[in-house]
Amino acid sequence: EVQLVESGGGLVQPGGSLRLSCAASGFTLSSYSMNWVRQAPGKGLEWVSYISTSSSTIYYGDSVKGRFTVSRDNAKNSLYLQMHSLRDEDTAVYYCARDWNFRGAFDIWGQGTMVTVSS
Amino acid sequence: QSALTQPRSVSGSPGQSVTISCTGTSSDVGAYNYVSWYQQHPGKAPKLMIYDVTKRPSGVPDRFSGSKSGNAASLTISGLQAEDEADYYCCSYAGRYRVFGGGTKLTVL
């Protein structure tokens, strides 16, 4: 079965750090670009980051630029999001999503992992 | 990277058709034919319904269709069914970024 499974969420204090992971199974991660998308409680979807198949191209949304770092380990079929200097407004469910046509068609999503930033 | 504009809510009766609009700019929706639409039921991950403005992934009913004109895209759902009640989000490729709409809650009356 083709699936993505996120992990690493939890409660963190403002200014803290957290590393999210996304494990892919049922397909070869190295063949697809990947994205992180988040959703604050009761709010809409917000695109966070993009990483190309070989990690040669990386993009971030303005709200996380300079604080978040996306990476991948194709040998481990895994995607990561390192988050630093976390703020209250980073509280959200974080999804990893497969970009199957390299043009923003996110066809496979994980179940999401909740990140809560609070003192 | 401003969010695309969608109506907050739309509604329709079973069997009717509804259209959800998605307005962007000449830097995103207007610049590329890469608009996608997602359906999200409460507590669930989003599901891809339309990509590249008009294309449907395998398994998505042909009741769902997409279109675009200028800086605005639309999702039309015909023959509304109870299970179509959900939140719908548009998303546009924009080169160095992707941008979502604010979401539209569809209520099936």
Side-chain angles (χ1 to χ4, degrees):
Chain A
E1 179 187 6
V2 173
Q3 66 174 353
L4 296 168
V5 178
E6 302 94 338
S7 61
L11 175 63
V12 61
Q13 292 189 337
S17 299
L18 209 57
R19 188 194 196 207
L20 306 183
S21 299
C22 170
S25 60
F27 69 99
T28 303
L29 186 71
S30 60
S31 298
Y32 297 90
S33 57
M34 297 294 294
N35 292 259
W36 287 97
V37 177
R38 69 184 180 182
Q39 186 169 34
K43 302 297 185 181
L45 301 174
E46 179 188 11
W47 173 76
V48 172
S49 181
Y50 164 93
I51 184 168
S52 63
T53 55
S54 63
S55 305
S56 60
T57 301
I58 289 174
Y59 301 131
Y60 297 99
D62 287 345
S63 61
V64 307
K65 203 173 298 183
R67 300 186 299 121
F68 289 12
T69 301
V70 63
S71 62
R72 63 193 296 163
D73 185 337
N74 288 333
K76 294 183 177 180
N77 248 20
S78 292
L79 174 74
Y80 307 100
L81 186 68
Q82 179 67 55
M83 305 184 293
H84 293 296
S85 303
L86 283 163
R87 308 167 180 167
D88 292 349
E89 55 265 35
D90 294 319
T91 294
V93 174
Y94 284 73
Y95 296 100
C96 57
R98 187 175 83 170
D99 189 344
W100 79 275
N101 73 344
F102 306 94
R103 299 188 298 270
F106 305 147
D107 68 328
I108 304 295
W109 296 66
Q111 85 289 350
T113 186
M114 182 71 202
V115 173
T116 303
V117 183
S118 174
S119 54
Chain B
Q1 298 183 14
S2 298
L4 307 177
T5 300
Q6 297 181 231
R8 296 200 68 169
S9 64
V10 297
S11 63
S13 299
Q16 289 187 332
S17 295
V18 294
T19 296
I20 300 172
S21 62
C22 170
T23 303
T25 70
S26 58
S27 296
D28 39 60
V29 175
Y32 307 93
N33 287 323
Y34 303 143
V35 175
S36 51
W37 289 89
Y38 301 87
Q39 176 192 67
Q40 186 180 36
H41 287 107
K44 301 293 187 181
K47 175 186 176 183
L48 178 66
M49 305 301 286
I50 296 287
Y51 68 97
D52 291 356
V53 179
T54 62
K55 299 175 182 176
R56 279 178 292 104
S58 174
V60 173
D62 58 7
R63 302 185 295 103
F64 292 83
S65 62
S67 63
K68 194 192 91 166
S69 177
N71 295 339
S74 295
L75 172 71
T76 297
I77 308 171
S78 59
L80 268 179
Q81 299 182 3
E83 58 262 35
D84 298 334
E85 183 162 297
D87 293 326
Y88 290 84
Y89 296 90
C90 60
C91 179
S92 178
Y93 171 93
R96 287 180 170 271
Y97 63 94
R98 289 92 174 100
V99 59
F100 283 94
T104 298
K105 180 176 180 57
L106 168 63
T107 300
V108 180
L109 302 171

